[in-house]
Amino acid sequence: MENALNEKSFQDKIDEGISIEPKDWMPETYRKHVLRQISQHAHSEIIGMQPEGNWITRAPSLRRKMVLLAKVQDEAGHGLYLYSAAESMGVTRDELLDQLHTGKAKYSSIFNYPTLTWADIGAVGWLVDGAAIMNQVMLQRTSYGPYARAMVRICKEESFHQRQGFEIMTVLSEGSSEQKEMAQDALNRWWWPSLMMFGPPDEESPNSANALKWKIKREGNDELRQRFVNQTVPQAAILGLKVPDTDLKWNEAKKGYDFGTPNWAEFKNVISGNGPCNKERIANKIHSHKEGAWVREAAEAYAAKKNKASIAA
Amino acid sequence: MSDNQGILWEVFVQTKPGLPHKHCGSIHGHDKEMALQNARDLYTRRNEGTNIWIIPASEIVASSPEDTGSFFEPANDKVYRHPTFYKIADGITHM
């Protein structure tokens, strides 16, 4: 009875647009849903450093190297904002990292694709960050307060990411025929995985109904995907590149593009751990965590020693 | 499971001299110097601050959401604390 009352007033708050804060009562299913989403999001930021970090040492100029370093550092920061938001639900940082390292927690499947050429860094900024921004702009008004506030910070920082990617693509597509080919090849490989970033079609997405009811998300996967296509196709045209979709066609009636269906079998396969880089990404993450263990231990020992000294004094 | 990421600190940033510090998020750090530097690296990478306060999250004392109604109730019936409560003759300015 009490639970039913709680649930009613919880849903009323959501419907009125009042944000849910860490100490507020919330249904266990809501807590689990939001926590899973924030943790996946945090892990995606952290694992997402790897495909781009891969090119820091080989960036074609000092300017590009500084920009890429700053961008990868931002991704680390975004991961930290999100881990803190997750921790407000009572989970520890170590538990979150452990879930990532053991494969219990997932991250966005896009980061299991390799960055083979410099043009991939352009495509990642333009398409992957572009798709992420579309999702994140919506999440600035998500119902869980700490998550929404993290998103506001992230969105402020994210727009330079997409611009720097588009700039790389612009330079390449105006360059030699080899450079233009490289840009086209990157678009070919990143287009479909980028569309998959919005998740499976709503009618097949097990979480969509609750996510909308609880205003964790405010728009469905298909709606966001459509907006991304509408926004991105003209940008590809400006670059003089061809979107690799033979079904792509302007639909005047819906004022948007009709487009083909992503390969959802591939999506499921990559999510389940069989993408080109899943094993490498997690192995790298675990390795760097282990390599950093002595730093954490030393910091802990130093803090303990100073604590003791201040108590004695 | 033990957490060896350091304790959790809440971070408050002053964005300009003269303005109040505003809560902007949390940070992990083993001691206050490290936590302060981490907060700088995380929250002021784009000149967002002129000053930072940090405080261990465990030291924050907060009112509890379930008591919100009764806790803030004393202010509810004191409309005379607002300027709009008072009738002022037409034509009076600068008040």
Side-chain angles (χ1 to χ4, degrees):
Chain A
M1 184 62 205
E2 196 189 337
N3 223 28
L5 267 179
N6 278 337
E7 249 170 71
K8 167 88 174 62
S9 75
F10 172 81
Q11 189 62 47
D12 286 347
K13 265 167 96 176
I14 300 264
D15 294 341
E16 280 174 54
I18 298 171
S19 74
I20 306 301
E21 294 299 330
K23 286 182 170 176
D24 293 349
W25 187 89
M26 60 188 91
E28 191 50 29
T29 39
Y30 174 86
R31 199 187 81 87
K32 273 198 183 137
H33 189 131
V34 174
L35 182 56
R36 190 192 59 237
Q37 185 172 327
I38 302 177
S39 108
Q40 279 183 13
H41 199 158
H43 296 325
S44 300
E45 301 281 356
I46 297 300
I47 295 294
M49 294 162 74
Q50 291 187 37
E52 297 188 284
N54 178 36
W55 280 91
I56 290 174
T57 55
R58 290 171 290 156
S61 70
L62 184 58
R63 177 180 181 271
R64 296 284 182 210
K65 189 191 290 242
M66 289 192 305
V67 167
L68 191 55
L69 260 174
K71 179 176 190 297
V72 172
Q73 194 188 11
D74 274 355
E75 307 299 359
H78 297 173
L80 295 184
Y81 301 152
L82 287 160
Y83 280 136
S84 293
E87 284 167 83
S88 73
M89 292 193 131
V91 58
T92 69
R93 180 73 57 92
D94 268 356
E95 279 166 344
L96 290 165
L97 292 177
D98 197 55
Q99 287 165 3
L100 174 62
H101 297 162
T102 56
K104 210 180 137 209
K106 300 255 186 283
Y107 55 89
S108 179
S109 67
I110 192 90
F111 301 117
N112 291 315
Y113 292 89
T115 42
L116 302 177
T117 72
W118 173 250
D120 287 23
I121 299 305
V124 166
W126 172 37
L127 300 172
V128 177
D129 286 296
I133 290 169
M134 198 136 279
N135 200 30
Q136 286 167 343
V137 163
M138 167 191 74
L139 288 172
Q140 289 183 103
R141 296 190 303 133
T142 187
S143 57
Y144 186 59
Y147 191 23
R149 291 191 284 276
M151 277 303 123
V152 171
R153 295 194 62 82
I154 288 177
C155 284
K156 266 188 205 155
E157 299 181 355
E158 196 81 51
S159 60
F160 114 67
H161 296 184
Q162 197 191 10
R163 280 175 173 233
Q164 66 86 34
F166 195 74
E167 191 194 68
I168 291 173
M169 294 303 276
T170 308
V171 170
L172 288 174
S173 60
E174 289 169 354
S176 67
S177 62
E178 286 93 342
Q179 285 172 319
K180 190 161 182 177
E181 220 167 89
M182 201 194 264
Q184 181 63 55
D185 170 61
L187 172 58
N188 292 348
R189 283 181 291 107
W190 289 95
W191 176 256
W192 291 107
S194 298
L195 293 196
M196 294 177 198
M197 282 177 72
F198 298 99
D202 290 313
E203 74 259 20
E204 288 163 37
S205 170
N207 303 319
S208 269
N210 273 341
L212 291 172
K213 181 179 98 181
W214 288 326
K215 295 193 181 161
I216 298 166
K217 297 179 72 170
R218 301 205 166 228
E219 289 167 286
N221 298 349
D222 295 318
E223 203 176 346
L224 290 166
R225 186 166 19 247
Q226 177 72 56
R227 188 178 310 148
F228 177 75
V229 171
N230 290 351
Q231 177 182 297
T232 311
V233 168
Q235 294 169 352
I238 288 170
L239 293 174
L241 300 177
K242 191 175 168 342
V243 173
D245 180 355
T246 47
D247 296 326
L248 188 73
K249 201 170 80 226
W250 178 254
N251 180 333
E252 184 59 31
K254 73 171 185 187
K255 297 276 177 216
Y257 289 92
D258 291 331
F259 55 96
T261 309
N263 182 346
W264 293 116
E266 174 186 321
F267 176 75
K268 283 190 192 114
N269 192 39
V270 176
I271 284 260
S272 343
N274 305 315
C277 301
N278 298 55
K279 290 188 180 68
E280 181 190 328
R281 300 290 187 238
I282 291 299
N284 278 342
K285 177 68 185 68
I286 292 172
H287 177 74
S288 72
H289 189 71
K290 281 188 180 153
E291 289 284 294
W294 72 269
V295 179
R296 294 189 295 276
E297 281 159 21
E300 203 160 11
Y302 179 69
K305 186 173 134 192
K306 274 212 315 198
N307 242 342
K308 223 163 139 191
S310 76
I311 288 164
Chain B
M1 184 176 180
S2 81
D3 192 324
N4 71 347
Q5 306 284 320
I7 65 165
L8 194 64
W9 305 71
E10 296 304 327
V11 182
F12 300 80
V13 172
Q14 182 194 43
T15 51
K16 272 182 199 160
L19 290 182
H21 289 65
K22 199 172 155 194
H23 182 246
C24 69
S26 325
I27 192 81
H28 278 261
H30 288 88
D31 58 46
K32 49 192 177 187
E33 284 84 7
M34 189 185 240
L36 192 60
Q37 286 172 1
N38 287 349
R40 175 203 58 195
D41 291 345
L42 188 57
Y43 291 105
T44 59
R45 282 199 304 283
R46 290 176 173 81
N47 289 319
E48 292 98 331
T50 46
N51 196 262
I52 299 178
W53 291 347
I54 55 164
I55 180 164
S58 59
E59 297 294 324
I60 301 247
V61 182
S63 60
S64 61
E66 54 267 33
D67 299 337
T68 297
S70 59
F71 192 73
F72 294 103
E73 195 275 332
N76 281 347
D77 56 353
K78 297 176 181 63
V79 285
Y80 46 85
R81 284 178 173 162
H82 297 280
T84 47
F85 179 73
Y86 300 93
K87 284 198 182 72
I88 300 292
D90 290 345
I92 302 287
T93 53
H94 304 295
M95 191 180 280

